[in-house]
Amino acid sequence: MANPLLSIVVPIYNSSATIEECVGSLTSQTIDDLEILLIDDGSTDDSLEKCEKIASKDNRIRVFTKENAGQGIARNYGLDLATGEYVAFVDSDDTCTKAMYETLLRKAKDAGSDIVVGGYCDLLNGAVVESHPAGLMELRSKDEIDRYMADLVSTPGHDDSAGCIAVWDSVYRRLLIEENDVQFPSERDVYSEDLVFKLRALAFSSRVSVVPNCLYEYHVSDKSYSKRVNDDVLKRINALSQVLADEFYRRLDRFDFRKRNAGRAFASLRFSLRRAPCGAGSTAFFKALVNDEKLYNCLSAYQPSNLINAAIYKLLLTRKPRLISAVFNLIALKG
């Protein structure tokens, strides 16, 4: 049997409530030439049983289970099993529009692209609450791809980056990934493992296409904001800054990489502070923050993009844990 045109890797951990809708959006794609790899990452609910039931009704679906190691490692596991000409990633609590992969793969074939990026929309209770079109670009030179990479790290004048740092908005030529050993770091070690993978893939690409269509459906949930972080997140943000510097500084230095890396660290920290501990654990967390010399050294190159970020940055520079803790406990900072 010939290898499929597309492999879709879906890492799964305790996704019983969402996995059927997710996979349903993949089996109903307007292209049939695909395989769906469901990677159960040691779920403790009935996700695996649901996956096996779904797979029994569609021979394009393959189910695998492994010991829990996190989403990044589960995606790497899926990459090793993938046989498609292109590979894509979908989160188990999200969905895709029916023509998503037909649209991306048509562009990949027509343009001979190694990566094709699309737009996405935010869904809340089944309704679109915000759309994020991706623009229209054909990146054919190293300089064009490098600038796109630099803008993903962070973009001057933006809170974050001008593009989406998640991997699920794209399709990737599998041989490019395989031959260059492009892998995800573990999100347990490195913050924003998607960004690292995407930059690594882009670094080996010679042709990249971007289409404006909003194709991926990101399901917004209040649950993601209710989970509190601990000071381990600071280590992961530092690890991200270090990985970006080690792997991309020389290539992207002409785009003022140090400031962009600082912008990424600030964006990651600000997002994490929305879920900082409250009450008894708050002071200890913020003490760890203000004593983190590595993080503050990276942030020293940061240039605030607006008044709110300038105020937050100035507050952080006081390095007074009780003051910072009080402010973040009293004010709900919106992204």
Side-chain angles (χ1 to χ4, degrees):
M1 182 181 295
N3 290 342
L5 178 59
L6 176 69
S7 298
I8 306 174
V9 176
V10 186
I12 296 160
Y13 181 72
N14 290 355
S15 305
S16 177
T18 59
I19 191 60
E20 290 171 310
E21 181 183 16
C22 172
V23 177
S25 77
L26 305 181
T27 57
S28 62
Q29 288 291 302
T30 53
I31 62 164
D32 293 323
D33 191 12
L34 55 81
E35 65 175 359
I36 301 166
L37 306 177
L38 304 181
I39 313 300
D40 177 68
D41 190 35
S43 294
T44 58
D45 64 1
D46 63 344
S47 293
L48 179 58
E49 289 79 4
K50 285 193 174 181
C51 289
E52 291 173 337
K53 182 178 180 181
I54 295 167
S56 69
K57 301 175 184 178
D58 193 321
N59 61 12
R60 297 174 299 172
I61 302 173
R62 294 194 286 156
V63 180
F64 303 88
T65 187
K66 56 181 289 297
E67 290 186 6
N68 179 261
Q71 179 170 260
I73 304 305
R75 285 169 169 169
N76 290 338
Y77 188 92
L79 279 173
D80 288 341
L81 296 164
T83 62
E85 183 178 352
Y86 289 86
V87 64
F89 305 94
V90 174
D91 287 354
S92 60
D93 53 354
D94 292 335
T95 51
C96 302
T97 57
K98 287 189 175 183
M100 174 170 177
Y101 292 114
E102 180 182 4
T103 302
L104 296 179
L105 292 168
R106 183 190 302 120
K107 170 58 73 172
K109 289 296 189 180
D110 290 347
S113 300
D114 296 313
I115 300 174
V116 183
V117 182
Y120 69 100
C121 58
D122 297 332
L123 263 63
L124 180 62
N125 299 323
V128 175
V129 293
E130 189 170 359
S131 295
H132 306 272
L136 183 61
M137 289 183 277
E138 296 293 338
L139 310 178
R140 294 294 178 259
S141 69
K142 180 179 181 299
D143 190 67
E144 289 174 330
I145 293 173
D146 285 357
R147 180 170 290 279
Y148 185 76
M149 292 170 62
D151 282 343
L152 282 181
V153 175
S154 69
T155 307
H158 288 66
D159 270 4
D160 197 332
S161 62
C164 175
I165 65 173
V167 295
W168 35 245
D169 63 351
S170 307
V171 293
Y172 306 82
R173 192 185 301 277
R174 185 175 61 84
L175 282 182
L176 178 138
I177 302 300
E178 182 178 294
E179 291 174 352
N180 295 290
D181 195 27
V182 176
Q183 298 230 317
F184 289 89
S186 170
E187 73 277 8
R188 297 177 182 179
D189 299 324
V190 179
Y191 197 93
S192 294
E193 78 282 4
D194 282 41
L195 173 61
V196 175
F197 179 93
K198 206 168 199 177
L199 291 172
R200 286 172 173 171
L202 286 164
F204 290 107
S205 300
S206 58
R207 300 174 72 90
V208 177
S209 298
V210 183
V211 300
N213 315 55
C214 292
L215 301 169
Y216 190 87
E217 297 173 330
Y218 175 74
H219 290 241
V220 180
S221 171
D222 291 336
K223 292 180 180 179
S224 60
Y225 296 107
S226 64
K227 294 177 64 177
R228 295 294 167 183
V229 298
N230 56 36
D231 58 11
D232 179 68
V233 75
L234 306 177
K235 299 175 185 176
R236 294 190 292 114
I237 292 172
N238 280 328
L240 172 64
S241 299
Q242 191 64 56
V243 168
L244 296 183
D246 289 346
E247 296 189 23
F248 305 109
Y249 173 81
R250 181 172 297 181
R251 178 168 180 154
L252 303 178
D253 186 39
R254 67 190 186 282
F255 301 108
D256 211 349
F257 177 82
R258 186 164 176 263
K259 289 182 181 178
R260 290 178 186 262
N261 201 13
R264 170 53 51 192
F266 180 84
S268 301
L269 178 61
R270 181 180 172 181
F271 183 82
S272 299
L273 289 178
R274 296 166 65 183
R275 298 182 291 149
C278 297
S282 179
T283 301
F285 174 86
F286 285 101
K287 279 185 178 179
L289 169 61
V290 302
N291 288 316
D292 194 323
E293 295 298 336
K294 188 173 184 180
L295 181 57
Y296 270 82
N297 182 58
C298 180
L299 290 175
S300 66
Y302 176 64
Q303 293 186 335
S305 57
N306 55 49
L307 291 176
I308 294 176
N309 285 342
I312 297 171
Y313 187 51
K314 187 174 182 179
L315 175 66
L316 292 172
L317 291 180
T318 67
R319 303 188 77 156
K320 296 179 179 179
R322 291 186 183 276
L323 174 62
I324 300 172
S325 173
V327 172
F328 277 92
N329 281 334
L330 289 173
I331 302 174
L333 292 170
K334 300 299 181 181

